[in-house]
């Protein structure tokens, strides 16, 4: 009885998923397969999978051949109609749903649901997907291929271990920064191309803050040498990403040091609110200015990204040298040096010490805040060194306001 209940459950899921995908094909008035056909094919796949478990894999092979024998004549007949779409989408969808039905018999129900849902989304998203492809040009594809090369071909083969002076040079981590700069730049370009520029600025800033606000600042600073009218949106992206960093820090503290979060978080939340207000003001100002245009070609950031990678290496070596030269005499000095390039390390380590009782909460949040202010100073240096004149002033004003507020919190928070 228990086995029968499990089989009936799998058959029911297969039937339901087939009906779900078939509903979309029926709505599209597809002549080859609709609601009932997809339901039957998914059920056929489930029954074939059940029989294959008892009699061997040849059952699945024979069932697949039988399905293909039925599907091919229908496709050949559709080719004879002048106005028919010669695509293979429905035919491939039938094969996928046949396999999905078979998967349910292996009790991988969640996998089957995800596959069927993905098929439904792909079928229903035909028009927007085609429109997106038509808006991507040859130059866009070249930049996407370049990102794939440096991120999916070169990055995985680099050694992910420390080398060099004091073991601070990690080829994987350094090249990852290069990938982030190129990727963020390309994502920003695509967002601005497919969405309204104002929404693109907000999304790019949030994404950059969650991934790497330092890489975002470097990438946007190089883009600022374009038309001056686009500077306000680029300023908004930079300040939004800087504000999101403090939100990320708060999440990390909550995950690592929940026991002392009530004492550590209030000043950090205050800093996040202050940075958020500054970012919102910059964003609202960008709405009244000339929106940035994606242009005809995407920005090629590889050369600038490699240069930033070299700068990143120099900073890592300088931080290591300073630690060795001055020793571990002050936690705040370590925090300031660490925060120059990476907020996560100082945040997680300090929160862990506080959670373990080795560091009081009052000192812990001040150490984290010191790292955050040092990170702002480093990004300000990037803006000055890499940004255009019209871009530098408003960003520095925003960073100065954040630094002033953070310093006031450090000095006057009880």
């Amino acid at each position: 009885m228990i086995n029968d209940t499990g089989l009936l459950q799998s058959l029911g899921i297969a039937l339901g998923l087939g009906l779900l995908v078939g509903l979309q094909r029926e709505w599209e008035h597809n002549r080859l397969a609709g609601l009932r056909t997809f339901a039957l094919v998914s059920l056929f796949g489930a029954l074939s999978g059940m029989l294959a478990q008892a009699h061997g894999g040849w059952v699945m092979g024979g069932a697949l051949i039988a399905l293909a024998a039925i599907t091919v004549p229908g496709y050949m007949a559709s080719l004879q109609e002048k106005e028919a779409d010669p695509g293979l989408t429905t035919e491939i969808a039938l094969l996928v749903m046949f396999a999905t039905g078979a998967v349910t018999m292996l009790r991988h129900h969640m996998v089957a649901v995800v596959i069927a849902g993905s098929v439904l989304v792909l079928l229903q998203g035909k028009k927007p997907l085609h429109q997106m492809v038509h808006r991507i040009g040859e130059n866009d594809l070249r930049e996407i291929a370049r990102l794939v090369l440096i991120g999916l071909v070169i990055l995985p083969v680099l050694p992910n271990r420390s080398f060099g002076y004091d073991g601070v040079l990690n080829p994987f981590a350094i090249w990852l920064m290069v990938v982030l700069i190129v990727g963020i730049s390309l994502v920003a370009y695509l967002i601005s191309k497919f969405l309204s520029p104002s929404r693109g600025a907000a999304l790019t800033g949030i994404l950059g803050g969650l991934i790497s606000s330092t890489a975002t600042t470097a990438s946007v600073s190089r883009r600022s040498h374009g038309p001056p009218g686009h500077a306000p949106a680029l300023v908004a992206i930079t300040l939004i990403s800087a504000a999101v960093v403090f939100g990320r820090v708060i999440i990390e503290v909550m995950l690592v040091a929940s026991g002392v979060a009530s004492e550590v978080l209030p000043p950090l939340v205050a800093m996040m609110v202050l940075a958020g207000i500054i970012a919102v003001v910059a964003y609202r100002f960008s709405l009244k200015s000339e929106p940035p245009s994606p242009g005809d070609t995407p920005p090629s950031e590889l050369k600038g990204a490699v240069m930033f990678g070299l700068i990143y290496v120099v900073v890592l070596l300088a931080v290591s040298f300073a630690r060795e030269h001055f020793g571990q005499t002050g936690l705040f000095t370590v925090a300031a040096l660490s925060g120059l390039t990476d907020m996560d390390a100082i945040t997680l380590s300090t929160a862990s010490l506080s959670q373990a009782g080795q560091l009081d909460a009052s000192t812990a949040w001040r150490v984290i805040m010191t790292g955050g202010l040092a990170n702002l100073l480093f990004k300000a240096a990037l803006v000055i060194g890499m940004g255009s004149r019209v871009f530098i002033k408003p960003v520095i004003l925003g960073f100065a306001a954040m630094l002033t507020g953070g310093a006031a919190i450090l000095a006057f928070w009880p």
Side-chain angles (χ1 to χ4, degrees):
M1 181 65 69
I2 295 175
N3 291 337
D4 288 344
T5 301
L7 290 175
L8 290 174
Q9 182 183 25
S10 297
L11 290 171
I13 292 174
L15 179 62
L17 295 178
L19 287 170
L20 180 65
V21 176
L23 177 64
Q24 196 282 333
R25 291 286 84 184
E26 190 75 32
W27 185 81
E28 289 282 351
H29 303 290
N30 188 273
R31 297 182 181 182
L32 179 62
L35 182 66
R36 294 177 299 173
T37 303
F38 268 91
L40 290 172
V41 166
S42 296
L43 194 58
F44 179 49
L47 291 171
S48 300
M50 182 177 66
L51 293 173
Q53 291 178 353
H55 302 288
W58 66 268
V59 176
M60 287 298 299
L64 188 60
I65 293 174
L67 178 61
I70 296 174
T71 305
V72 170
Y75 175 72
M76 298 301 295
S78 67
L79 290 179
Q80 298 177 1
E81 300 180 14
K82 296 182 179 179
E83 297 181 359
D85 182 3
L88 291 172
T89 303
T90 301
E91 291 79 359
I92 297 300
L94 280 171
L95 296 177
V96 172
M97 293 310 299
F98 169 82
T100 301
V103 166
T104 62
M105 300 309 298
L106 299 176
R107 304 298 190 271
H108 298 316
H109 295 159
M110 183 58 66
V111 174
V113 170
V114 171
I115 293 173
S118 301
V119 171
L120 178 62
V121 170
L122 289 173
L123 293 176
Q124 187 61 30
K126 174 182 177 180
K127 290 183 179 179
L129 287 174
H130 286 187
Q131 291 173 356
M132 180 184 69
V133 171
H134 292 157
R135 295 182 64 178
I136 294 179
E138 182 180 355
N139 292 326
D140 303 335
L141 288 175
R142 185 184 66 248
E143 294 300 323
I144 293 174
R146 178 179 294 175
L147 178 60
V148 170
L149 172 65
I150 67 174
L152 300 182
V153 178
I154 298 177
L155 182 64
V157 301
L158 293 176
N160 189 10
R161 56 182 185 271
S162 299
F163 296 94
Y165 176 77
D166 203 22
V168 300
L169 300 182
N170 185 316
F172 182 90
I174 294 170
W175 190 254
L176 178 61
M177 293 300 297
V178 176
V179 175
L180 286 176
I181 294 176
V182 176
I184 290 173
S185 178
L186 184 59
V187 168
Y189 165 76
L190 293 176
I191 288 176
S192 63
K193 187 170 184 175
F194 294 111
L195 298 178
S196 65
S198 58
R199 292 172 59 190
L203 290 174
T204 303
I206 294 172
L207 176 65
L210 291 175
I211 299 178
S212 173
S213 64
T214 304
T216 300
T217 301
S219 176
V220 172
S221 297
R222 289 188 55 82
R223 290 182 61 194
S224 67
H225 291 280
H230 300 167
L234 300 179
V235 170
I237 292 173
T238 305
L239 296 180
I240 289 172
S241 68
V244 170
V245 168
F246 292 98
R248 188 181 68 197
V249 165
I250 290 173
I251 293 174
E252 292 174 348
V253 172
M254 292 175 64
L255 292 174
V256 175
S258 58
V260 295
S262 60
E263 302 175 69
V264 176
L265 289 185
L268 298 178
V269 170
M271 182 63 195
M272 182 190 69
V273 171
L274 170 64
I277 292 173
I278 296 171
V280 169
V281 171
Y283 174 71
R284 297 291 296 179
F285 180 77
S286 70
L287 297 178
K288 301 178 182 179
S289 63
E290 178 185 353
S293 172
D296 297 327
T297 59
S300 180
E301 294 288 334
L302 184 57
K303 181 178 178 180
V306 172
M307 289 299 299
F308 174 77
L310 295 176
I311 296 174
Y312 185 73
V313 170
V314 171
V315 171
L316 287 176
L317 292 173
V319 169
S320 179
F321 176 79
R323 285 176 176 173
E324 182 178 347
H325 184 72
F326 296 106
Q328 301 291 332
T329 56
L331 194 56
F332 289 96
T333 301
V334 175
L337 293 174
S338 300
L340 288 175
T341 56
D342 181 27
M343 273 298 296
D344 295 327
I346 190 62
T347 298
L348 294 174
S349 60
T350 303
S352 298
L353 289 173
S354 182
Q355 178 72 9
Q358 300 178 20
L359 188 66
D360 63 275
S362 177
T363 303
W365 74 257
R366 285 183 167 85
V367 170
I368 296 173
M369 182 73 75
T370 300
L373 298 183
N375 188 255
L376 284 174
L377 286 172
F378 179 63
K379 287 184 287 192
L382 285 177
V383 169
I384 295 174
M386 303 174 68
S388 65
R389 188 173 300 177
V390 70
F391 170 78
I392 292 175
K393 183 177 179 180
V395 173
I396 294 302
L397 287 176
F399 281 167
M402 294 182 188
L403 287 167
T404 301
I409 293 175
L410 278 175
F412 300 110
W413 195 274

